[in-house]
Amino acid sequence: MAHDHPTGLKRWLFTTNHKDIGTMYLVFAFTMALIGGSMSLVIRAELFQPGLQIVEPHFFNQMTTVHALVMIFGFIMPAFVGLANWQIPMMIGAPDMALPRMNNWSFWILPFAGTLLMLSLFMPGGGPAGGWTIYPPLSVQGGIGMDFTILTIHLLGISSILGSINIISTILNMRAPGMTLMKMPMFVWSWLITAFLLIASIPVLAGAVTMLLTDRHFGTHFFNAAGGGDPVLFQHVFWFFGHPEVYILVLPAFGVFSQIIPTFARKPLFGYASMVFATATIAFLSFIVWAHHMYTVGMPMAGELFFMYSTMLIAVPTGVKVFNWLSTMWRGSMTFETPMLWAIGGVFTFTIGGLSGLMLSITPADFQYHDTYFVVAHFHYVIIGGSAFALFGAIFYWLPKWTGHMYNEGLGKLHFWLTMIGFNLTFFPQHFLGLAGMPRRIPDYSLQFSGFNEWSTIGAFLTIGAQFIFFYVAFKTIKGGEKATKEVWEGAEGLEWTVASPAPYHTFETAPNVK
Amino acid sequence: MSISRFRLATGVIPRLVVGTSLLLVSGIAAADYALNFQQPVSSIGREVFDLHNLITIICFVIMALVAGVMLWSIAFHRKSSGRKPATFHDNTKLEVLWTVVPFIILVGMAIPSTSALLHMDDTSNSDMTLKITGYQWKWEYEYPAEGIKFMSTLATPRDQINNVADKGEHYLLEVDNNVVLPVGKKIRLLVTANDVLHAWWVPALATKKDAIPGFINELWVKIDEPGIYRGQCAELCGKDHGFMPIVVEAVSDSDFKKWANRQKGQMVAAAAAAGKSWSKADLLKQGEKVYNQNCAACHGATGAGIPGVFPAMAGSKVANGPVNGHLDIVLHGKAGTAMAAFGKQLSDVDIAAVVTYERNSFGNKTGDVIQPSQAKSLR
């Protein structure tokens, strides 16, 4: 029955257990979140007032670049893979992931990739400073830190592809008898679709950065106009990856909202089938809208119109999802524990980000919004307001199942409210800054922008400060606390709530039957 | 009195809190909190502004409806008020409705957007052309028909940026040479770049286009009224991306003609200066000016550079090596680095002057005096 498990360091190095690996993903992700968060504080501190006070422009550019790379590739993506590792086997009634050894490997690539990226900051010439989009020709100019970044992207890409293969094979092969595809929990559905997005888009990014590497060192001219190349080609290839990437960050969050809201509304998810189709439609559309990130490069009229119309279309399936969540809440019997606060707050802030996204899709208006703080506000509303809020919700929702202990509800709610206030104080005024004409990625600004920048900086310090409450609550819950029941939540439905809390090391050694 | 008591009475943390809130209060008093676009002053600008306001209002209404339903649910559909949950989970009519209605709203938004886009794209029948070239980190303006060409760089003193001096009214939005344009004329703008990507953006004119090396992008503008309109580079272009502003000075057509004639006179005088032989003192004086405008951003005002990123000028192998090698790198740049080919940007006089300056400053003592003719021969 019970196997011998190595203990101590060996347990974590050699583990093939989905729960251990899920835990490691989450610990890694939140460590990176702390690092990326500190970088955002450097940025916000410099922008507190006009003039250069704290850092040099070159270092400022490294901070904006590495902050973005760390938060996207180091925090949000691994954190959702961690959730997938913990939850997918439990939610589909499987004993573990389909490819446990590969699971170990896809995690253990990450710390090395993260270290490589951090090391770039200490190289001569510093880390990457051309923005996370690493557009050439600027990215051809950088020092060896840029090469470190390219290799980091390769490593992270390999890890993501391996993780995705594992998730797809687990979901397609290891579902309990009776669990047809259309009976799967929405979180599992979202991850199945996300995994396909990853497999289709990451190799494209790998191609783009490899071309960049050979342009930098091996005399090719893919992106050099003087050598017959095309700088705009990089942008097309990058965003062919980049736009699906946006949904890679947010689809699992949609899955989380679709788990939490029915539980606390004590009412089944509204429009399950339309949720599945909406998610698949968003995934499909994500591959034909990429050039809306680059309306100002001077595309032919037909291109500008095509990308404007296709981008606007995304509002339809996204709207369907939001309306479905609202209808799930409608005439339910709601309570507002911490996970529900995050889910409702997340739907609210994500909708703001979605609507500013709709505004950005309108090409002539985008000419004004493009590369301003309006864009910065927009993507923080979707990535923090959507993805990160869902992550916090998911952790409070499932933490009792993972640890067997209830968390401190009062502190959980305090963390939510402080983050919610701090987040909106940071990013809502940035909409106005962008509309008034403040470009993004500048270390200093003219006096007209000073007011809202002060608000934004104060909000950022409040937001990051509030996260220490989260770390404290999570740590205390892992260590001990009130015992959690099997069901944990009164309205919870799904296989993970049929096993003990904490869930046994191997969850379903005999498959449960799903009616 | 009250201030000294305040200082005595407070610890570090309360002092920080009070300090921050005082800053905030003074900030609110001083700063203006613009909420929307700058007042547009071009036909396209007005069209885009109207479109933006329309889509903003639509989005606000949608957000208000979503938030309204959400708040209603939160207020009334809660367990604490003793509600039993409903059990419905599908409603085909409703689902079709909220797929079709948003689609119709989108079509309503797409129509004015398409018409604005077509309008912006039509650069035909222009009255004049301005060619704009982005450099790290300045703009070059060329009027092909008028035969005028000049560089435009940030005029804000370093001391203001480093918080040594008080910041002026147009902090970071002022340049040495404004780009002067006539009002009421349809002006075709050709935008390109010499090194990396830039973007030429003046919010009040609604002109944002990427400047891409090897490509020429087109757009047009017709300015309504005379005035000064300020903008910035909008595409990250390296270290001093935040320090390459744009200042458009819109004047009447007759004033524009007068200005153009003056500029041509200056260019003739500059060309004549290249023919004569220059003294070392004059070259050093001119060289220092050119250095501070073009080189100091990377190589540093004291020639120290930034280790690992930008080489130092002091003790440099190039500045202390053969003269022709030095001239060559200044004229033609160095491939694969941020070192630009200044031959395209600077006159022979300026090249000769700055090379003379670099070889005799920052502790470099070659004693070389380079004449403009020498720079010319290496072009």
Side-chain angles (χ1 to χ4, degrees):
Chain A
M1 249 297 276
H3 309 282
D4 255 350
H5 302 300
T7 50
L9 185 65
K10 276 188 176 169
R11 166 181 170 187
W12 299 104
L13 273 176
F14 302 138
T15 182
T16 54
N17 180 281
H18 73 104
K19 297 189 179 77
D20 284 351
I21 294 172
T23 304
M24 290 196 293
Y25 264 109
L26 288 168
V27 170
F28 173 80
F30 279 94
T31 311
M32 293 305 270
L34 264 185
I35 296 172
S38 337
M39 291 177 179
S40 73
L41 291 187
V42 174
I43 296 167
R44 282 313 327 167
E46 178 54 58
L47 292 174
F48 184 54
Q49 299 216 299
L52 293 178
Q53 288 88 9
I54 300 175
V55 292
E56 285 297 310
H58 184 63
F59 188 71
F60 181 90
N61 289 346
Q62 293 174 45
M63 285 293 104
T64 54
T65 306
V66 182
H67 161 74
L69 290 169
V70 163
M71 288 308 208
I72 293 170
F73 293 104
F75 170 42
I76 304 280
M77 289 171 70
F80 277 119
V81 180
L83 283 185
N85 254 292
W86 258 103
Q87 287 308 125
I88 288 176
M90 284 208 279
M91 293 171 102
I92 63 171
D96 204 309
M97 297 292 279
L99 308 162
R101 284 167 205 275
M102 192 163 92
N103 204 10
N104 173 294
W105 192 34
S106 60
F107 169 76
W108 275 110
I109 291 174
L110 287 182
F112 295 96
T115 309
L116 193 59
L117 184 60
M118 290 306 124
L119 277 179
S120 77
L121 288 170
F122 302 97
M123 291 299 118
W132 84 280
T133 50
I134 51 173
Y135 282 177
L138 186 60
S139 53
V140 176
Q141 283 181 357
I144 195 173
M146 182 56 69
D147 304 311
F148 276 45
T149 308
I150 290 172
L151 293 177
T152 302
I153 289 172
H154 274 306
L155 287 176
L156 293 169
I158 293 169
S159 162
S160 292
I161 290 173
L162 295 180
S164 304
I165 292 172
N166 209 348
I167 286 169
I168 293 172
S169 11
T170 307
I171 296 174
L172 294 184
N173 294 311
M174 301 190 55
R175 297 192 310 280
M179 181 171 282
T180 58
L181 285 177
M182 291 306 279
K183 278 188 188 166
M184 289 196 310
M186 265 318 290
F187 179 72
V188 180
W189 253 117
S190 313
W191 246 117
L192 179 63
I193 291 168
T194 305
F196 277 105
L197 285 183
L198 276 163
I199 289 183
S201 66
I202 293 276
V204 180
L205 175 68
V209 295
T210 307
M211 286 153 90
L212 198 58
L213 190 71
T214 62
D215 265 17
R216 284 171 55 80
H217 296 294
F218 306 116
T220 57
H221 295 113
F222 292 113
F223 308 126
N224 178 358
D230 180 351
V232 181
L233 173 66
F234 180 87
Q235 301 187 26
H236 282 291
V237 183
F238 180 87
W239 287 112
F240 187 83
F241 146 81
H243 203 76
E245 170 69 18
V246 174
Y247 294 104
I248 289 164
L249 298 177
V250 88
L251 290 185
F254 290 172
V256 168
F257 294 150
S258 303
Q259 298 300 132
I260 294 177
I261 294 175
T263 298
F264 295 94
R266 293 168 179 74
K267 192 165 153 280
L269 181 67
F270 185 90
Y272 173 88
S274 69
M275 281 300 216
V276 173
F277 294 131
T279 310
T281 310
I282 292 173
F284 167 74
L285 286 174
S286 75
F287 282 104
I288 57 165
V289 297
W290 74 88
H292 67 221
H293 295 271
M294 37 188 287
Y295 282 143
T296 57
V297 297
M299 272 181 284
M301 180 53 55
E304 305 257 19
L305 288 175
F306 170 78
F307 286 109
M308 174 167 79
Y309 298 151
S310 59
T311 305
M312 290 172 80
L313 270 185
I314 294 184
V316 175
T318 313
V320 166
K321 299 201 75 103
V322 172
F323 300 141
N324 281 347
W325 291 319
L326 291 182
S327 311
T328 309
M329 289 166 64
W330 191 254
R331 291 179 50 208
S333 169
M334 285 194 283
T335 51
F336 302 93
E337 290 87 342
T338 310
M340 185 61 160
L341 290 180
W342 283 111
I344 297 179
V347 170
F348 178 80
T349 46
F350 172 79
T351 307
I352 295 176
L355 288 168
S356 59
L358 177 60
M359 294 172 72
L360 284 159
S361 74
I362 309 284
T363 314
D366 175 80
F367 289 151
Q368 288 297 290
Y369 310 142
H370 180 71
D371 266 331
T372 68
Y373 261 83
F374 189 81
V375 177
V376 177
H378 157 72
F379 65 70
H380 282 99
Y381 264 87
V382 287
I383 299 180
I384 299 183
S387 310
F389 277 28
L391 269 175
F392 286 125
I395 285 170
F396 283 109
Y397 184 54
W398 282 310
L399 201 57
K401 177 55 66 187
W402 300 341
T403 62
H405 304 131
M406 291 307 287
Y407 59 86
N408 182 324
E409 194 65 62
L411 285 178
K413 285 181 175 166
L414 179 70
H415 169 236
F416 166 79
W417 283 111
L418 288 179
T419 309
M420 185 74 176
I421 293 166
F423 163 75
N424 283 289
L425 182 61
T426 312
F427 294 107
F428 207 79
Q430 293 185 359
H431 290 111
F432 303 131
L433 287 172
L435 295 181
M438 179 168 164
R440 65 191 284 206
R441 295 166 165 167
I442 55 174
D444 193 7
Y445 49 84
S446 54
L447 304 179
Q448 59 188 315
F449 304 125
S450 60
F452 283 131
N453 269 301
E454 286 183 352
W455 291 25
S456 196
T457 298
I458 292 167
F461 277 85
L462 175 61
T463 309
I464 303 280
Q467 302 320 305
F468 290 96
I469 303 175
F470 169 75
F471 287 114
Y472 175 76
V473 175
F475 182 75
K476 289 293 274 187
T477 314
I478 294 166
K479 286 282 155 210
E482 187 196 328
K483 288 269 172 276
T485 60
K486 238 181 184 183
E487 295 79 17
V488 184
W489 311 110
E490 188 187 40
E493 302 260 353
L495 288 176
E496 76 264 42
W497 310 110
T498 63
V499 298
S501 305
Y505 200 59
H506 298 286
T507 314
F508 293 101
E509 294 197 326
T510 46
N513 257 314
V514 180
K515 288 179 287 301
Chain B
M1 178 61 200
S2 66
I3 288 173
S4 63
R5 206 185 317 150
F6 168 79
R7 272 191 189 147
L8 283 172
T10 50
V12 174
I13 291 168
R15 216 187 304 171
L16 270 176
V17 171
V18 172
T20 313
S21 37
L22 279 178
L23 260 177
L24 199 61
V25 171
S26 64
I28 287 170
D32 62 62
Y33 286 85
L35 299 177
N36 210 344
F37 282 0
Q38 297 173 20
Q39 195 57 40
V41 288
S42 68
S43 51
I44 285 178
R46 276 178 274 120
E47 197 170 349
V48 171
F49 194 35
D50 291 345
L51 179 65
H52 155 75
N53 284 333
L54 172 75
I55 57 179
T56 307
I57 289 166
I58 293 174
C59 288
F60 261 106
V61 170
I62 298 173
M63 192 63 218
L65 290 175
V66 168
V69 172
M70 203 179 236
L71 286 174
W72 184 277
S73 252
I74 291 172
F76 299 111
H77 304 152
R78 50 200 300 154
K79 196 186 174 196
S80 56
S81 52
R83 266 193 94 87
K84 289 271 167 290
T87 52
F88 66 86
H89 53 78
D90 270 309
N91 186 329
T92 311
K93 264 188 211 155
L94 206 56
E95 289 175 63
V96 170
L97 190 74
W98 69 44
T99 310
V100 173
V101 170
F103 186 81
I104 294 169
I105 296 174
L106 290 181
V107 173
M109 290 163 87
I111 292 167
S113 312
T114 307
S115 110
L117 196 55
L118 291 171
H119 186 206
M120 293 170 100
D121 194 54
D122 177 19
T123 52
S124 62
N125 298 322
S126 59
D127 299 312
M128 66 172 281
T129 299
L130 171 70
K131 185 174 172 232
I132 301 160
T133 310
Y135 290 85
Q136 282 175 315
W137 294 278
K138 49 193 166 277
W139 295 98
E140 181 192 72
Y141 299 104
E142 184 180 354
Y143 301 68
E146 289 78 6
I148 301 169
K149 188 169 160 179
F150 59 87
M151 306 293 295
S152 174
T153 52
L154 178 73
T156 302
R158 212 64 227 174
D159 280 353
Q160 291 189 16
I161 297 171
N162 292 333
N163 310 306
V164 180
D166 285 345
K167 295 177 174 42
E169 188 191 353
H170 300 298
Y171 176 69
L172 293 190
L173 294 179
E174 50 201 344
V175 294
D176 51 359
N177 299 311
N178 294 349
V179 52
V180 179
L181 291 172
V183 294
K185 299 268 181 191
K186 181 167 180 177
I187 304 160
R188 189 167 69 126
L189 308 173
L190 302 178
V191 185
T192 186
N194 186 57
D195 34 44
V196 299
L197 306 175
H198 303 269
W200 199 78
W201 182 35
V202 181
L205 305 180
T207 54
K208 187 189 284 154
K209 206 72 159 180
D210 287 1
I212 303 169
F215 288 71
I216 295 178
N217 273 328
E218 255 189 325
L219 70 160
W220 67 274
V221 65
K222 194 173 189 176
I223 307 172
D224 293 340
E225 49 193 280
I228 305 266
Y229 307 113
R230 296 168 201 275
Q232 281 175 274
C233 176
E235 177 68 56
L236 179 60
C237 55
K239 185 171 82 68
D240 282 351
H241 164 55
F243 305 93
M244 50 181 290
I246 296 154
V247 182
V248 172
E249 187 178 339
V251 298
S252 69
D253 194 32
S254 58
D255 284 349
F256 174 74
K257 290 208 171 77
K258 277 183 227 154
W259 172 84
N261 281 329
R262 267 204 316 278
Q263 288 291 312
K264 268 186 273 187
Q266 283 176 16
M267 290 183 67
V268 172
K276 76 176 177 91
S277 184
W278 284 58
S279 74
K280 185 173 177 185
D282 285 347
L283 283 170
L284 285 176
K285 199 172 143 213
Q286 175 71 8
E288 183 174 7
K289 200 177 114 202
V290 175
Y291 182 86
N292 286 330
Q293 270 176 4
N294 296 282
C295 319
C298 297
H299 295 294
T302 59
I306 298 179
V309 192
F310 303 116
M313 204 49 78
S316 134
K317 269 189 224 152
V318 174
N320 294 292
V323 174
N324 281 357
H326 191 175
L327 276 170
D328 182 64
I329 201 168
V330 175
L331 281 166
H332 304 115
K334 190 170 177 195
T337 70
M339 180 64 198
F342 284 93
K344 293 182 204 162
Q345 308 178 31
L346 299 177
S347 68
D348 294 333
V349 175
D350 288 347
I351 298 268
V354 79
V355 170
T356 307
Y357 176 71
E358 285 170 0
R359 298 180 78 80
N360 297 288
S361 314
F362 321 119
N364 301 339
K365 294 191 184 74
T366 59
D368 296 328
V369 176
I370 291 100
Q371 290 300 331
S373 56
Q374 232 174 314
K376 196 176 179 183
S377 68
L378 283 167
R379 274 187 188 265

